[in-house]
Amino acid sequence: MPTIVFIRHGETDWNAVGRFQGQQDIPLNARGRGQARRNGRTLLENLPQAAEYDFVASPLLRTRETMEIVRGSMGLDPDDYRVDPILKELTFGDWEGFTEAELKQNWPDGVVAREADKWGFTPPSGESYEMLSERIARWLESVDRPSVVVSHGGVCRVLLGLLQGLGPETTPMLDIRQDRFMIWNGRDVIWV
């Protein structure tokens, strides 16, 4: 398995207030742009050969913005990367745009069901972590060269689950921060 550098997109205003974004096209905020600059500089310092890797992002605005800032911070052409729709975030369907408190008010039974089975629960018109994991497993099989990936928290959770053999009770609970990135070297996960 080639090296994979995984960068979660920087913070958005919806992240800051705990809104379920899913596949909504929300831009980065100032803090998110700073996180992306930090991750680009830190990647260049710690893994300079990454400048030669394949660069691929989810097509959503927040991931493309993050990728362009990361590449610019590395001294690379910000626009020289590709997008792959398979790397889109888990869709929360009808729940997108709501906070957890609003969901508890509007869909109390759904929130209880999700808490009982975060892996298998599918929001109305949405996608479960199990479904996302199947999608990302297909993408992972296609990775044939070292890559820098900018995608989403849910995508990183299931990717880690696949790479490390984690179970469905652990994978959806992983904490994926926006101010650091993951390097998979074919055996181990290193957070930088």
Side-chain angles (χ1 to χ4, degrees):
M1 169 70 56
T3 298
I4 298 173
V5 176
F6 189 100
I7 302 171
R8 182 182 177 192
H9 65 79
E11 185 183 82
T12 69
D13 287 344
W14 280 26
N15 286 136
V17 298
R19 236 169 250 297
F20 282 67
Q21 287 181 117
Q23 295 184 3
Q24 297 300 304
D25 226 1
I26 309 302
L28 298 179
N29 62 23
R31 183 175 182 197
R33 289 187 293 277
Q35 290 166 335
R37 279 189 295 277
R38 176 264 177 211
N39 284 334
R41 288 190 307 264
T42 305
L43 178 55
L44 185 62
E45 290 167 9
N46 287 273
L47 197 67
Q49 66 269 33
E52 304 300 319
Y53 289 6
D54 183 33
F55 282 76
V56 60
S58 157
L60 297 179
L61 177 60
R62 60 192 181 269
T63 49
R64 289 184 292 111
E65 279 187 295
T66 299
M67 177 65 88
E68 290 164 15
I69 293 168
V70 164
R71 286 185 57 82
S73 297
M74 295 176 71
L76 302 172
D77 177 353
D79 299 320
D80 189 17
Y81 67 96
R82 59 190 183 87
V83 296
D84 190 335
I86 205 168
L87 293 170
K88 278 186 178 181
E89 178 63 295
L90 173 84
T91 177
F92 291 102
D94 296 345
W95 286 17
E96 292 183 1
F98 292 95
T99 64
E100 191 165 345
E102 292 166 339
L103 291 177
K104 285 179 179 176
Q105 186 175 24
N106 294 314
W107 287 281
D109 294 342
V111 171
V112 169
R114 183 173 188 262
E115 289 171 358
D117 181 15
K118 199 168 181 181
W119 179 257
F121 177 77
T122 305
S125 303
E127 185 178 28
S128 69
Y129 271 100
E130 183 175 18
M131 294 160 70
L132 176 63
S133 184
E134 292 167 4
R135 175 162 49 96
I136 298 306
R138 290 193 307 275
W139 171 81
L140 189 57
E141 289 173 5
S142 75
V143 177
D144 59 1
R145 56 189 165 153
S147 301
V148 175
V149 178
V150 177
S151 190
H152 306 271
V155 172
C156 190
R157 286 182 190 97
V158 300
L159 178 62
L160 279 169
L162 292 164
L163 292 172
Q164 297 187 301
L166 303 176
E169 66 288 339
T170 304
T171 299
M173 309 307 287
L174 296 171
D175 181 30
I176 310 299
R177 293 174 27 189
Q178 293 163 310
D179 61 351
R180 61 184 184 156
F181 56 87
M182 176 195 88
I183 301 171
W184 168 256
N185 64 14
R187 291 182 325 277
D188 301 306
V189 169
I190 302 156
W191 289 97
V192 182

